[in-house]
Amino acid sequence: MSEENSKRDFIRDIIAEDLASGKHETPVTRFPPEPNGYLHIGHAKAICLSFGIAQENSTAGARCHLRFDDTNPVKEEQEYVDSIQEDIKWLGWDWGENLYFASDYFEYFYDCAVHLIKNGKAFVDEQSSEEIRAAHGSVNKPGKESPYRDRPIEESLDLFVRMRAGEVKDGEAVLRAKVDMASPNMHLRDPIIYRVLHETHHNTGDQWSIYPMYDFAHPLEDAKERITHSLCTLEFEVHRPIYDWVIEHCPVPSKPRQIEFSRLSLNYTIVSKRKLLQLVEGGKVDGWDDPRMPTLSGARRRGFPPEAIRAFCEDVGITKFNGVTEMARLENEVRRVLNTTAPRRMAVLDPLKLVLVNMAEDHFEEVEVQNNPEDGSAGTRKLPLGRELWIERDDFMVEAPKKYFRLAPGRVVRLRGGYIVRYVDHVSDQESGEVSEVHCEFLPDTIGKPPPEGVKCKAAIHWVSAAHAEDAEIRLYDRLFDHESPDAAEGGFLSVLNPDSLRIVEGAKIEPGLGEESKGYLCQFERLGYFCADSRYHDPGTKVVFNRTIGLRDSWAKKRG
Ligand code: ATP
Ligand code: MG
């Protein structure tokens, strides 16, 4: 699937044709995030498409620009500019020298606007925003032309200069393109292309008091950077006529072409920066990089490998049809990658004491455990083993059904990488009735060997030496929403947050040395899933905090039946 030549879709076909026909020699694409939030998994699809096309056509000199579409001073921040760059790099893409800011083109946008006014293609409208809205018409009803539409060019020019100079208050005037108030396409009904905003911009400070609108600025940004193929999501299809109008009527150095593809939507989550911001600001999550968030920084903190996200985007493919993709597909890619890359370690989340009654109290030995039991290629490590061990509470049952092959009265089980042990008896708490200790005898000479004659051993359980184990906090994550399409929930997405999406387990026991691993360290806890040392709370050797990246199997598939 990752074969270069198998990546075929209608956009790559168009580009191949343009190269073959000589229309273009060098494809140039761009990824144009607005720095008003962190990138999410939907953006990954757009990133992999535009950067992927540049990479596949590198022999033709192709490139992909990272351009911040930072034309709105109100919601944009440096924090977002930084995080977006970090996330794209993490995903494995490189814009090289091609880092641009739309705000660096403010002077160019302004010149284009003046050009339009001088050519009778734009005018300053002094109606209030309510009046403009009321005259906009509807799908079935044409709009009404503004009384200012045919004012003298000189008058518009003069007013526009004064808008720039800061002499006009917010909302008192706008610049509108003169297109067609009767157009069936609402975006062509004399769209506003500049508004007055007395706001400080993260890049240009207080230099400007007018700011261009997306429909005007975006095509000019593309043209200025000589983008050949401007790839965006389907909701921009209805904006394409105004995109083309701007290119046709402004002094542009090149003529880019906009092509739309379908957005990525995932079930059980939301991909909208605006809504994700609500979760962050409402304190519903632990920041943009909360491991439950569909953001790229959340995925990273959770332990999702970037190659899994890239493989997922490739697998989803590029089409013109909007649909909902199963979160399980992304999770399966994560499992597929981690299965071959994550070393195996032992940890016990819900510890129960196991005492090997036939082992001396001061006896300790080292057993050699495979780092990857399936093929052994990842080598081995030595783990201490003594009389007292921790095992998982649910690996012991007082009254076990027939199909339960783990530890129970009368049963025998193998300690993974160690001895086979046989049940002797157990101790229960008098008040709660809860089992507090299980006693077993180990069968000598069974490490790395099949069970002795007549002994039936059908399972291996994980364990850690009680004398050597380190304490850890384990964070178990589940889906952030327990509704398949949170956006469609009756009470809105905030009403279907999964109350069990984070469970913090304190007092877990992990094998010695594991707590020294650095932030971001990823491994499989045998039989439990994949886990990653938290990049915020884990402090090597001091406070051990692991996130569960993902379970070994899709537990939701089972729940759904
Ligand atoms: P959001 O709705 O989350 O705010 P946006 O489209 O407003 O997303 P931008 O920063 O403007 O965010 O997006 C940058 C690029 O990413 C755009 O070209 C947009 O088409 C693309 N993009 C955004 N969301 C998705 C998605 N879910 N699937 C594919 N591409 C997306
Ligand atoms: Mg946008």
Side-chain angles (χ1 to χ4, degrees), residues 32 34 36 69 214 235-236 273:
E34 184 181 355
N36 61 350
D69 201 351
Y214 177 91
E235 68 271 23
F236 292 104
K273 281 182 288 190

Side-chain angles (χ1 to χ4, degrees), residues 323-343:
V324 179
T325 303
E326 300 258 326
M327 177 74 96
R329 278 171 74 179
L330 171 60
E331 294 171 344
N332 282 334
E333 289 294 345
V334 172
R335 285 191 192 91
R336 189 182 57 75
V337 172
L338 294 184
N339 184 40
T340 53
T341 54

Side-chain angles (χ1 to χ4, degrees), residues 546-558:
F546 273 84
N547 296 316
R548 180 170 65 194
T549 304
I550 194 132
L552 295 177
R553 276 168 298 275
D554 180 3
S555 56
W556 277 73
K558 257 187 293 172

